[in-house]
Amino acid sequence: MTTTTGTGRVTGAVGTPHTRLEGRAKVTGAARYAGEIPFPGLAHGWLVVSTVARGRVRSVESGPVLALPGVLAVLHHGNAPRVDADYVGLLGRPDPIVGLFRSDRVPCAGWPVALVVAETSEQAREAAEALVVRYETEPHDVAFVPDGPGAYTPEPRGTNETDKGDLERELAASAVVVDARYTTPEEHHHPMEPHAATARWDGGRLEVYDSNQGSTWVAGELAQLFSLDPASVRVLSEHVGGGFGSKGVRPHQVAAAMAATVLRRPVRVVLTRRQMFSLIGYRSPTAHRVRLGADADGRLRAFGHEAQNATSTVHEFVESSASFGRVMYDADAHRTANRLVRLDVPTPTWMRAPGEAPGSFAVESALDELAERCGIDPIALRARNEPTVGPVSGLPFAGRGLLACFEEGARRFGWARRDPRPGVRREGRWLLGTGTAAATFPAGARPSTAAVTAEADGTFTVRISAADIGTGARTALALIAADALEVEPGRVRVRIGDSDFGPAMVAGGSAGTRSWAWAIMAAAAGLRERLALGGDLPPEGVTVRSDTSAAIAALPEKERHSYGAQFAEVAVDPATGEVRVRRMLGIFAAGRIVNPLTARGQLTGGMVWGISMALHEEAVRDRASGAHVGPDLAGYHFAAHADVPRIEADWVDDPDADDPVGIKGIGEIGIVGAAAAVANAVWHATGVRHRALPIRPARILAAGTGPDGNRGA
């Protein structure tokens, strides 16, 4: 609850539960998403994607399609305006897929080869499906084979490889060694709201109404792609129905802007579910070799983790899975490496907890194996290898709440009652087991700008190019602003998702709210100083703008991370291979929690995704065609309500003293370690290790159960 001080000022909104400010608008349909905003004269574009995995477009036979009712244009490499994708943007060089129709090359199945524009969406779709595109095909390779030929370490090498001590020597001197390989499949993030963009020219400016994770980011990229003055591009993204790393700069925004430029009328492009499997990125399949060497008491002498992922032939993307262990466990010798394999596939991209999600499955499974072989409790093993400084960097920790999470989680989960022997607990036909795993994710902050206005009516307006992708960020920022201004939250209006508000951090990397809060706090402090001078407010109010670039650059160098402890109980039917997660508990050290109501939803949502990762999710490519098998939400399995048990998420006190609000970040930490906790619980139930995800019934049946006699039916 908020409290009023003796001066009449209000404090204490941060840390108390508040429902979403836009919640009613969303559930009543008043909130309009990018694909719903009406425009006079709106035309509709439909992307046509390649049906071959490698080759060239020989011809686009657009004549018959242009004669169909309502069709306005067919754009392709032969007639489309040229865009420039040879630049370095906010997050580096863009994936060439956004350089739409620059050549006739086809590097993968699902590559955009044409755009059909028509008066209605139905006409555009019918024409797109009728369009004949002829290809010259070339041999392709889409099979991700761990340690196959061509694997390499990408640049910068110092980022992707770390090496401390002599790993081979320490492994040879270790009393207990784990040398195991783990794999995760290709996985996809499919937000409830599909990717959609509407572009129009208004008063000499290109306006794009979009669903994205950073309006200034997308505006800057479009300006470079179309060689425009950045001030002549405006991107608006008020409501976003999920992102998870996928809603950056994608072909649909470029296509909409291109068609609007050609036709001089508004054009909307919405991706289908099937198109999203190839056009918005995904989590690459990964392969891991984890080598751990320890003394008999479990103290690590050697820690080695080599991770590989697939990338496309046209763009490098590193799923930095080996980064997970660099801050987690100390050892005399510590070696990590991220490696790539080029294939004729679409380029992967960031997906919730990039690197840490698959990396934690491998490392935390291997730690569980080491604990078993040493005869040590898994939590005690982790405590025995708790570092005092960054194991690789040597930097001090800006808070290290991992053991506090394990202590609280073990107490609440009833870990002390656990029989460590696998395959001994039964309940009728079910084998029962429990498992645990650690979690971590970087807690970053990036420069941002914000403006806070004291209005003449006594209210305050915050303007910042933040993105609320379903996390409750808009509400959290209102609470932060209210405390900074010392007023009731009801007197604060927060406007977001408009690139005209100035540069700000994207909603990603668990750094959005932290970065935006810093900028709002600075602007609010400046505004209070201005208001303290007295005088009447002008009709337009008084505005103070902030820029946190200098403050963030001055941050002392430390290891800044959120942490967590995941616990899972599973039941396994050895006759059918069915695995049921019965309960999960996650305890997190993630800085100061701004809004407990939405924060708990973020954390449990990540844990549900971890269940899905452990037991269900796997996108399969057909080697013959190079395309997906079943690229839709019927063929791609994920956790449904029936798969989700009683899940609890809570946290321990863990503010960051260097942050003005004490925030660290919670967007990704919920999924990290969750799949490993489930997999470790499956081992405890059955006595068999599963090192390949997902752990589907067929894999349970193929592996059987352990040496205690519980095999087959």
Side-chain angles (χ1 to χ4, degrees):
M1 294 179 63
T2 56
T3 58
T4 304
T5 66
T7 60
R9 292 172 176 169
V10 177
T11 61
V14 170
T16 59
H18 288 259
T19 57
R20 296 171 189 263
L21 297 177
E22 79 285 8
R24 180 179 293 274
K26 285 184 173 177
V27 299
T28 59
R32 283 178 168 167
Y33 293 84
E36 300 175 324
I37 302 170
F39 293 97
L42 179 66
H44 298 264
W46 202 278
L47 279 167
V48 178
V49 299
S50 70
T51 56
V52 303
R54 182 173 175 174
R56 291 183 179 275
V57 175
R58 196 172 69 204
S59 65
V60 179
E61 300 180 3
S62 56
V65 165
L66 288 168
L68 293 175
V71 175
L72 302 170
V74 178
L75 302 180
H76 52 83
H77 72 276
N79 65 358
R82 185 169 177 81
V83 294
D84 181 8
D86 298 321
Y87 65 88
V88 178
L90 178 66
L91 300 179
R93 291 197 174 276
D95 183 344
I97 198 171
V98 303
L100 212 58
F101 312 142
R102 293 214 308 171
S103 79
D104 61 357
R105 287 295 308 171
V106 174
C108 63
W111 185 263
V113 295
L115 176 74
V116 177
V117 188
E119 296 287 355
T120 69
S121 177
E122 292 79 7
Q123 290 170 334
R125 179 171 189 167
E126 180 182 5
E129 291 175 348
L131 182 68
V132 175
V133 180
R134 302 194 186 277
Y135 303 92
E136 292 178 3
T137 61
E138 300 171 5
H140 63 266
D141 181 9
V142 299
F144 177 63
V145 179
D147 300 316
Y152 68 98
T153 303
E155 298 293 341
R157 203 172 188 90
T159 300
N160 288 298
E161 277 191 352
T162 64
D163 202 350
K164 181 184 78 171
D166 189 326
L167 184 72
E168 301 301 333
R169 184 180 66 188
E170 295 298 337
L171 284 169
S174 297
V176 183
V177 173
V178 169
D179 185 347
R181 297 177 184 271
Y182 305 87
T183 62
T184 66
E186 180 180 321
E187 299 167 347
H188 286 256
H189 36 16
H190 271 250
M192 186 177 294
E193 177 204 17
H195 293 56
T198 305
R200 66 170 182 170
W201 285 92
D202 183 50
R205 299 185 77 195
L206 175 64
E207 285 193 346
V208 179
Y209 292 77
D210 184 35
S211 177
N212 62 56
Q213 294 179 228
S215 53
T216 53
W217 172 29
V218 174
E221 302 281 323
L222 290 175
Q224 300 213 63
L225 282 161
F226 288 92
S227 301
L228 298 170
D229 182 338
S232 67
V233 181
R234 184 187 187 189
V235 174
L236 300 100
S237 187
E238 184 179 4
H239 297 291
V240 182
F244 311 114
S246 73
K247 285 188 174 171
V249 184
R250 297 295 173 197
H252 66 291
Q253 299 126 323
V254 183
M258 185 180 286
T261 300
V262 170
L263 296 175
R264 289 291 164 177
R265 62 188 285 186
V267 177
R268 174 172 296 154
V269 178
V270 180
L271 299 184
T272 68
R273 287 289 171 194
R274 295 179 73 87
Q275 290 174 343
M276 286 166 63
F277 273 86
S278 61
L279 295 179
I280 69 168
Y282 56 96
R283 198 189 315 274
S284 165
T286 67
H288 311 257
R289 184 185 184 189
V290 181
R291 293 190 289 170
L292 305 176
D295 293 333
D297 64 357
R299 187 188 71 83
L300 282 171
R301 300 177 64 103
F303 181 98
H305 182 190
E306 180 178 298
Q308 295 183 27
N309 71 268
T311 191
S312 71
T313 59
V314 296
H315 190 65
E316 279 189 349
F317 181 82
V318 181
E319 182 76 26
S320 53
S321 302
S323 302
F324 173 81
R326 294 175 185 172
V327 298
M328 290 301 286
Y329 305 110
D330 205 358
D332 299 318
H334 206 290
R335 183 187 299 168
T336 66
N338 293 305
R339 308 192 73 200
L340 295 180
V341 177
R342 289 190 182 276
L343 296 172
D344 300 311
V345 296
T347 307
T349 193
W350 303 279
M351 179 166 159
R352 197 174 195 174
E356 276 75 9
S360 65
F361 164 66
V363 171
E364 293 301 304
S365 296
L367 259 290
D368 204 66
E369 296 198 40
L370 182 65
E372 174 200 353
R373 295 186 190 184
C374 291
I376 298 173
D377 179 81
I379 298 176
L381 178 73
R382 288 167 173 83
R384 196 157 298 173
N385 291 287
E386 177 72 357
T388 56
V389 296
V392 173
S393 69
L395 294 172
F397 289 106
R400 174 85 179 183
L402 179 61
L403 295 187
C405 292
F406 271 115
E407 181 180 353
E408 176 64 11
R411 182 187 66 81
R412 291 174 56 167
F413 195 75
W415 188 260
R417 300 190 299 272
R418 178 183 191 255
D419 186 332
R421 295 173 299 164
V424 298
R425 286 184 62 203
R426 272 192 175 274
E427 186 180 278
R429 63 189 176 95
W430 298 98
L431 295 170
L432 306 182
T434 53
T436 190
T440 189
F441 198 81
R446 298 292 182 271
S448 297
T449 62
V452 180
T453 301
E455 308 286 1
D457 63 0
T459 63
F460 297 84
T461 302
V462 175
R463 293 176 178 85
I464 186 166
S465 296
D468 191 333
I469 57 176
T471 59
R474 186 194 321 259
T475 307
L477 296 181
L479 303 181
I480 289 164
D483 276 6
L485 295 165
E486 297 188 347
V487 300
E488 289 279 1
R491 290 175 61 189
V492 176
R493 290 189 298 270
V494 176
R495 295 186 59 194
I496 62 173
D498 187 338
S499 62
D500 276 1
F501 295 159
M505 174 60 181
V506 303
S510 295
T513 301
R514 179 175 184 176
S515 303
W516 306 325
W518 205 315
I520 290 170
M521 294 278 287
L527 180 61
R528 287 179 59 193
E529 290 178 7
R530 288 275 299 275
L531 297 178
L533 299 176
D536 294 332
L537 290 177
E540 69 275 14
V542 173
T543 299
V544 171
R545 188 168 182 81
S546 68
D547 184 338
T548 61
S549 298
I552 289 175
L555 270 173
E557 197 174 4
K558 296 180 181 179
E559 290 284 7
R560 301 181 186 278
H561 300 264
S562 295
Y563 298 95
Q566 303 272 18
F567 295 83
E569 180 179 55
V570 303
V572 181
D573 185 341
T576 65
E578 181 181 359
V579 179
R580 287 287 176 185
V581 177
R582 291 196 166 184
R583 60 187 177 115
M584 283 195 78
L585 170 68
I587 302 293
F588 303 95
R592 190 178 183 194
I593 302 301
V594 177
N595 184 354
L597 187 63
T598 53
R600 187 166 277 109
Q602 280 293 292
L603 295 170
T604 56
M607 294 166 70
V608 170
W609 205 332
I611 295 173
S612 203
M613 178 181 177
L615 303 180
H616 303 285
E617 295 190 45
E618 181 177 21
V620 178
R621 287 188 180 274
D622 173 40
R623 294 193 180 189
S625 68
H628 282 111
V629 176
D632 51 45
L633 297 188
Y636 181 77
H637 295 171
F638 52 89
H641 282 293
D643 301 300
V644 178
R646 176 167 57 94
I647 297 183
E648 297 179 75
D650 213 334
W651 43 84
V652 297
D653 189 45
D654 180 48
D656 185 341
D658 294 323
D659 184 273
V661 187
I663 296 171
K664 285 191 173 179
I666 60 172
E668 268 113 340
I669 190 71
I671 189 176
V672 182
V678 173
N680 291 339
V682 170
W683 165 79
H684 189 232
T686 64
V688 174
R689 291 282 177 191
H690 288 269
R691 301 184 181 93
L693 295 183
I695 308 172
R696 288 187 175 158
R699 287 178 171 164
I700 293 284
L701 293 176
T705 55
D708 299 278
N710 300 313
R711 180 175 291 276

